[in-house]
Short mmCIF file of all heavy atoms in Angstrom, two decimals:
data_model
loop_
_atom_site.label_atom_id
_atom_site.label_comp_id
_atom_site.label_asym_id
_atom_site.label_seq_id
_atom_site.Cartn_x
_atom_site.Cartn_y
_atom_site.Cartn_z
N GLU M 31 159.08 62.16 81.95
CA GLU M 31 158.85 62.23 83.40
C GLU M 31 157.50 61.58 83.77
O GLU M 31 157.36 60.92 84.80
CB GLU M 31 158.84 63.73 83.81
CG GLU M 31 158.67 64.01 85.29
CD GLU M 31 159.94 63.71 86.07
OE1 GLU M 31 161.02 64.04 85.59
OE2 GLU M 31 159.80 63.11 87.16
N GLN M 32 156.52 61.75 82.86
CA GLN M 32 155.19 61.18 83.09
C GLN M 32 155.10 59.71 82.65
O GLN M 32 154.02 59.12 82.66
CB GLN M 32 154.12 62.00 82.35
CG GLN M 32 153.93 63.41 82.89
CD GLN M 32 153.53 63.44 84.34
OE1 GLN M 32 152.76 62.59 84.81
NE2 GLN M 32 154.04 64.41 85.10
N GLY M 33 156.23 59.13 82.21
CA GLY M 33 156.25 57.69 81.95
C GLY M 33 156.26 57.26 80.50
O GLY M 33 156.26 56.06 80.21
N ALA M 34 156.24 58.21 79.56
CA ALA M 34 156.17 57.83 78.14
C ALA M 34 157.54 57.48 77.57
O ALA M 34 158.56 57.98 78.03
CB ALA M 34 155.56 58.99 77.34
N ASN M 35 157.53 56.59 76.54
CA ASN M 35 158.72 56.36 75.72
C ASN M 35 158.75 57.45 74.66
O ASN M 35 157.71 57.77 74.07
CB ASN M 35 158.64 55.00 75.02
CG ASN M 35 158.50 53.87 76.01
OD1 ASN M 35 159.15 53.86 77.04
ND2 ASN M 35 157.63 52.92 75.69
N ILE M 36 159.95 57.98 74.38
CA ILE M 36 160.00 59.18 73.54
C ILE M 36 160.86 58.98 72.29
O ILE M 36 161.99 58.49 72.36
CB ILE M 36 160.62 60.37 74.33
CG1 ILE M 36 159.91 60.57 75.68
CG2 ILE M 36 160.59 61.65 73.49
CD1 ILE M 36 158.48 61.05 75.62
N VAL M 37 160.32 59.41 71.14
CA VAL M 37 161.13 59.57 69.93
C VAL M 37 161.48 61.05 69.82
O VAL M 37 160.59 61.90 69.66
CB VAL M 37 160.36 59.11 68.66
CG1 VAL M 37 161.17 59.45 67.41
CG2 VAL M 37 160.08 57.62 68.73
N VAL M 38 162.76 61.35 70.00
CA VAL M 38 163.24 62.73 69.91
C VAL M 38 163.62 62.98 68.45
O VAL M 38 164.65 62.52 67.97
CB VAL M 38 164.47 62.96 70.82
CG1 VAL M 38 164.97 64.39 70.71
CG2 VAL M 38 164.13 62.61 72.27
N ASN M 39 162.74 63.69 67.74
CA ASN M 39 163.02 63.99 66.33
C ASN M 39 163.64 65.38 66.20
O ASN M 39 163.23 66.31 66.89
CB ASN M 39 161.72 63.95 65.51
CG ASN M 39 161.85 64.77 64.23
OD1 ASN M 39 161.37 65.90 64.15
ND2 ASN M 39 162.53 64.25 63.24
N ASP M 40 164.59 65.49 65.30
CA ASP M 40 165.11 66.81 64.94
C ASP M 40 165.95 66.65 63.67
O ASP M 40 166.23 65.53 63.23
CB ASP M 40 165.98 67.39 66.07
CG ASP M 40 165.90 68.93 66.13
OD1 ASP M 40 166.43 69.59 65.21
OD2 ASP M 40 165.30 69.47 67.07
N VAL M 41 166.33 67.80 63.08
CA VAL M 41 167.30 67.75 61.99
C VAL M 41 168.71 67.83 62.56
O VAL M 41 169.68 67.52 61.88
CB VAL M 41 167.07 68.89 60.95
CG1 VAL M 41 165.88 68.58 60.07
CG2 VAL M 41 166.88 70.25 61.64
N ASN M 42 168.82 68.27 63.80
CA ASN M 42 170.12 68.38 64.47
C ASN M 42 170.29 67.19 65.42
O ASN M 42 169.69 67.13 66.50
CB ASN M 42 170.15 69.70 65.25
CG ASN M 42 171.47 69.93 65.96
OD1 ASN M 42 172.19 68.98 66.28
ND2 ASN M 42 171.78 71.18 66.22
N MET M 43 171.13 66.23 65.00
CA MET M 43 171.28 65.00 65.77
C MET M 43 172.09 65.18 67.05
O MET M 43 171.94 64.42 68.01
CB MET M 43 171.94 63.92 64.92
CG MET M 43 170.98 63.13 64.07
SD MET M 43 169.71 62.23 65.01
CE MET M 43 168.41 63.40 65.08
N GLU M 44 172.94 66.20 67.07
CA GLU M 44 173.74 66.42 68.27
C GLU M 44 172.83 66.80 69.44
O GLU M 44 172.88 66.20 70.52
CB GLU M 44 174.76 67.52 68.00
CG GLU M 44 175.90 67.52 69.01
CD GLU M 44 176.87 68.65 68.78
OE1 GLU M 44 177.05 69.06 67.61
OE2 GLU M 44 177.42 69.13 69.78
N SER M 45 171.95 67.78 69.21
CA SER M 45 171.07 68.21 70.30
C SER M 45 170.04 67.12 70.63
O SER M 45 169.71 66.89 71.79
CB SER M 45 170.37 69.54 69.94
OG SER M 45 169.61 69.40 68.77
N ALA M 46 169.56 66.40 69.59
CA ALA M 46 168.59 65.32 69.86
C ALA M 46 169.22 64.25 70.74
O ALA M 46 168.59 63.73 71.67
CB ALA M 46 168.11 64.72 68.54
N GLY M 47 170.50 63.94 70.47
CA GLY M 47 171.21 62.94 71.26
C GLY M 47 171.34 63.38 72.72
O GLY M 47 171.25 62.55 73.64
N GLU M 48 171.54 64.67 72.93
CA GLU M 48 171.66 65.19 74.31
C GLU M 48 170.34 65.02 75.07
O GLU M 48 170.32 64.69 76.25
CB GLU M 48 172.09 66.66 74.29
CG GLU M 48 173.55 66.84 73.93
CD GLU M 48 173.93 68.28 73.56
OE1 GLU M 48 173.11 69.20 73.79
OE2 GLU M 48 175.03 68.46 73.02
N VAL M 49 169.23 65.25 74.36
CA VAL M 49 167.91 65.10 75.01
C VAL M 49 167.67 63.63 75.35
O VAL M 49 167.17 63.30 76.44
CB VAL M 49 166.77 65.68 74.13
CG1 VAL M 49 165.41 65.44 74.77
CG2 VAL M 49 166.99 67.17 73.90
#
Side-chain angles (χ1 to χ4, degrees):
E31 183 74 42
Q32 293 301 323
N35 302 319
I36 309 292
V37 173
V38 179
N39 157 259
D40 212 291
V41 284
N42 181 336
M43 274 300 91
E44 198 183 329
S45 59
E48 286 166 12
V49 176

